[in-house]
Amino acid sequence: MSTNPTTAPTQLSSSPGHGDPADPADPDADGSRRPRAVAANVVRGALIGVAETVPGVSGGTVALVSGIYGRLIGSVKHVLDIPRMLVTRGDWRASGRQVDWWLLIPVCLGMAVTVFSIAGVMESFVTDQPVASRALFMGMIAMSVVVPFLEIENGALSRRPARLRAVGVFAAAAAVAFALTSLPRSEIVDPPLILTFGAAAIAVCALVLPGVSGSFFLLVVGMYAPTLAAVDAMDIRYLAVFALGALVGLMSFVRALEWLLANHHTLAMVAAAGLLSGSLRALWPWQTDDGGLLGVGDDWPVALLLLTVGAAVVAVVALVQRRLYTADASAADAEHREARYSGAP
């Protein structure tokens, strides 16, 4: 495993709950039960919730930048294994023990509170301030392109064939994201429930895939405003169908993504960077109502300022996360050494 502090959290076997269960003798092996860690995970969840309400911004990107991406994917996979184990009479308790509940529950709590609190506000901000909102988010995504490359192990791209594969994957992913974000947009006033189910099943995949925005997909298919309106109005029928579609989408997608991260981590990170790069097309500040690109407007100074602010925010978050992880890893190593020495005969 790489010693890069930004790489280690992404490896699914690097923390309890994602490969090997935590040592029962050391229930706080990764420090995840510490109050500071729990509070930080609530904040991370809140940021992911904000991202999921913004077209063009991926919740998976926020998870990646904040250093919890691999652990989160592993935990979701094990949670989804529990109902399957119950049906097949498998060892569902083992799957439950492998879930990092001290990560998953705070993150979900932060997401839920944020989404239900700001759905109406975010819809108004994106709708009423399109240039300002897109400029801010474009800066955030542009800086986030660097993050997946920081997650790649040292030497993984040292050989020429590996670099050529990485270039090809990056270009293909960027082209796909650019094509998807270039689709014309329309709005559906009263979407049928079957469309709601299908759209949720696809859009939720963006929750765990860096660079792909579930909100933007909903915007493209004309269901962004109806969905946020349903959240703001607590439309139980709409939300129940949407949640069911999201669950089906997660069950179909997360296992494949977890396998990809475990077995092809470098290419997965390169693809994430490509998706982020291609998705920048969706966030060009000056666009027509259907997504066509326009020239730079007279308000470019404000847009440039907000773009810079967005990039700075992501840079600071990534830097703080890197330093916190290094400090936590050092503290955990010290605790393990102390426990080992104190238990020696």
Side-chain angles (χ1 to χ4, degrees):
M1 183 184 298
S2 169
T3 56
N4 184 341
T6 60
T7 301
T10 308
Q11 302 295 335
L12 295 177
S13 60
S14 64
S15 62
H18 310 290
D20 298 326
D23 183 355
D26 188 10
D28 193 23
D30 64 349
S32 60
R33 300 188 184 186
R34 298 170 183 167
R36 187 183 72 171
V38 173
N41 288 334
V42 172
V43 173
R44 291 179 178 116
L47 293 175
I48 293 172
V50 171
E52 286 304 308
T53 63
V54 177
V57 182
S58 167
T61 299
V62 176
L64 187 64
V65 171
S66 60
I68 61 172
Y69 185 68
R71 293 166 57 203
L72 195 59
I73 296 299
S75 286
V76 171
K77 189 207 74 154
H78 290 305
V79 167
L80 296 177
D81 281 342
I82 292 175
R84 181 176 62 86
M85 292 292 184
L86 287 172
V87 172
T88 60
R89 297 186 179 181
D91 189 0
W92 62 270
R93 293 182 181 85
S95 294
R97 286 192 296 269
Q98 290 183 325
V99 177
D100 190 345
W101 296 107
W102 291 95
L103 169 71
L104 192 62
I105 292 176
V107 167
C108 290
L109 177 63
M111 285 178 59
V113 171
T114 303
V115 168
F116 282 96
S117 299
I118 70 168
V121 175
M122 190 59 67
E123 181 190 6
S124 299
F125 177 54
V126 172
T127 303
D128 300 338
Q129 304 292 334
V131 173
S133 60
R134 283 195 290 259
L136 178 66
F137 303 140
M138 188 176 193
M140 297 174 70
I141 296 300
M143 181 58 68
S144 298
V145 173
V146 179
V147 175
F149 289 112
L150 296 177
E151 300 284 334
I152 296 175
E153 294 186 20
N154 295 330
L157 298 177
S158 59
R159 302 182 63 180
R160 180 178 175 82
R163 289 197 299 269
L164 291 177
R165 282 195 301 270
V167 170
V169 169
F170 180 91
V176 168
F178 187 90
L180 290 175
T181 55
S182 299
L183 295 174
R185 307 164 201 173
S186 59
E187 197 67 50
I188 300 175
V189 177
D190 187 17
L193 293 181
I194 187 63
L195 179 60
T196 301
F197 178 92
I202 298 174
V204 75
C205 296
L207 179 64
V208 293
L209 189 62
V212 181
S213 168
S215 293
F216 183 78
F217 172 78
L218 294 176
L219 189 64
V220 168
V221 299
M223 295 187 58
Y224 175 72
T227 300
L228 285 189
V231 172
D232 194 39
M234 290 296 294
D235 185 338
I236 301 302
R237 188 180 69 155
Y238 186 102
L239 295 179
V241 173
F242 193 94
L244 182 60
L247 179 61
V248 171
L250 278 176
M251 294 180 69
S252 305
F253 184 74
V254 168
R255 182 174 294 276
L257 181 59
E258 195 260 357
W259 176 88
L260 182 65
L261 286 171
N263 294 279
H264 301 282
H265 180 264
T266 297
L267 291 182
M269 291 297 101
V270 171
L275 290 171
L276 289 169
S277 299
S279 68
L280 289 173
R281 189 260 179 235
L283 298 172
W284 176 251
W286 299 277
Q287 301 185 23
T288 61
D289 291 339
D290 62 353
L293 301 183
L294 299 173
V296 176
D298 295 336
D299 49 357
W300 68 266
V302 175
L304 180 60
L305 175 62
L306 290 172
L307 188 147
T308 304
V309 170
V313 167
V314 171
V316 169
V317 170
L319 179 62
V320 170
Q321 173 62 31
R322 182 186 182 98
R323 292 185 174 178
L324 285 177
Y325 179 79
T326 302
D328 287 345
S330 299
D333 288 342
E335 289 177 4
H336 292 165
R337 287 195 299 270
E338 182 180 352
R340 187 164 58 248
Y341 293 150
S342 64

